[in-house]
Amino acid sequence: MQKVVPVITVDGPSGSGKGTLAALIARELGWHLLDSGALYRIVAAVGIERQIDLNKGAALAAVTAGLDIQFHDNGARVDGKELGLRIREEAVSAGASIVAAHPDVRHAVLDLQLKQRRPPGLVADGRDMGTVVFPDAPFKIYLDASLESRAERRYKQLLDKGLAANLHRLLAGLRERDQRDKGRTVSPLKPAPDAFIIDSTSLSIQAVLALSLERARAIGLI
Ligand code: C5P
């Protein structure tokens, strides 16, 4: 019988540190990494570039289905072109949560996500990894943090990357995205019933990593 490829899901709101946590777990275990938010960011960036109304789900889904997306260690190539930092800009961040609310777009993105489940294992970072995309994952993490600490982290990240940032705008943008991500009808952001919930407001990323690995060992996954 074929062995099921294990998945660790890391869900949570923007800026909770889940992207960093997922990358660290994947590196520690030598597993593949899926940054599902990048897929919605790519759809938003392509939509903006092609001047498609981001409220038009069917048009965006048609574009998504035709995109050639190749993930690699340092990011992704879309239709042969290297994706730069553009998908991290605020306009694209806001656009991503708008396009992600369309069921047609989510359906088009689903296949791309499932294909990333390859041996020896996958660490999948997003909003609905544990609830919808990989509901059979043996270990589901839900990483939360206060709105203020998330805004501050995002602010520092953007500055570190040499991008412009404004703390008040980031706070307002995060609040709006939280509402959109938690309030939508399809795949809303929420912990899976069997999720291991960590609040990282006053924890370092190393402490969160240690807690996660300890739990993975305790359940016999690693
Ligand atoms: O995680 P990141 O901030 O890159 O995600 C960008 C946006 O994509 C989120 O605000 C959310 O609306 C959407 N998203 C989603 N489902 C996922 C991952 C991201 O709806 N699994």
Side-chain angles (χ1 to χ4, degrees):
M1 208 174 75
Q2 221 180 354
K3 210 171 157 255
V4 178
V5 176
V7 181
I8 296 178
T9 58
V10 186
D11 290 305
S14 304
S16 57
K18 68 192 162 48
T20 310
L21 176 65
L24 289 172
I25 298 176
R27 197 170 65 193
E28 178 77 22
L29 303 182
W31 289 11
H32 299 283
L33 176 67
L34 167 65
D35 171 4
S36 62
L39 290 169
Y40 294 100
R41 288 171 181 272
I42 289 168
V43 176
V46 171
I48 292 169
E49 193 176 280
R50 300 192 190 170
Q51 299 185 340
I52 299 169
D53 181 348
L54 298 190
N55 295 305
K56 298 257 160 34
L60 288 165
V63 167
T64 307
L67 290 176
D68 172 24
I69 302 174
Q70 306 283 343
F71 282 106
H72 56 72
D73 283 350
N74 304 312
R77 288 172 75 82
V78 179
D79 288 345
K81 268 199 293 187
E82 200 59 42
L83 265 191
L85 288 176
R86 217 171 92 59
I87 58 160
R88 300 290 151 200
E89 288 171 5
E90 271 307 292
V92 176
S93 301
S97 81
I98 297 174
V99 306
H102 300 303
D104 293 1
V105 171
R106 299 200 78 84
H107 186 73
V109 164
L110 186 63
D111 259 5
L112 295 169
Q113 295 172 333
L114 296 175
K115 272 196 215 136
Q116 304 299 319
R117 188 172 191 167
R118 289 171 287 135
L122 177 70
V123 184
D125 148 25
R127 302 290 185 292
D128 61 342
M129 297 295 98
T131 50
V132 175
V133 181
F134 302 108
D136 65 328
F139 184 28
K140 300 173 182 173
I141 300 169
Y142 186 89
L143 190 58
D144 213 341
S146 73
L147 181 68
E148 292 72 20
S149 67
R150 291 187 282 125
E152 269 165 37
R153 277 184 207 150
R154 221 357 100 78
Y155 180 70
K156 287 198 189 115
Q157 270 174 4
L158 289 170
L159 292 189
D160 284 349
K161 285 179 179 155
L163 295 170
N166 171 303
L167 189 57
H168 292 292
R169 265 218 308 275
L170 278 172
L171 199 89
L174 276 181
R175 186 179 287 122
E176 205 177 299
R177 267 198 280 157
D178 277 0
Q179 279 165 0
R180 229 174 356 235
D181 290 349
K182 290 179 178 168
R184 67 184 175 220
T185 32
V186 279
S187 309
L189 169 64
K190 62 174 181 193
D194 52 345
F196 178 59
I197 300 178
I198 307 175
D199 186 326
S200 73
T201 305
S202 50
L203 289 178
S204 70
I205 192 68
Q206 287 307 327
V208 175
L209 174 66
L211 270 177
S212 305
L213 293 175
E214 194 182 298
R215 175 75 171 195
R217 275 185 211 107
I219 61 172
L221 180 63
I222 59 170

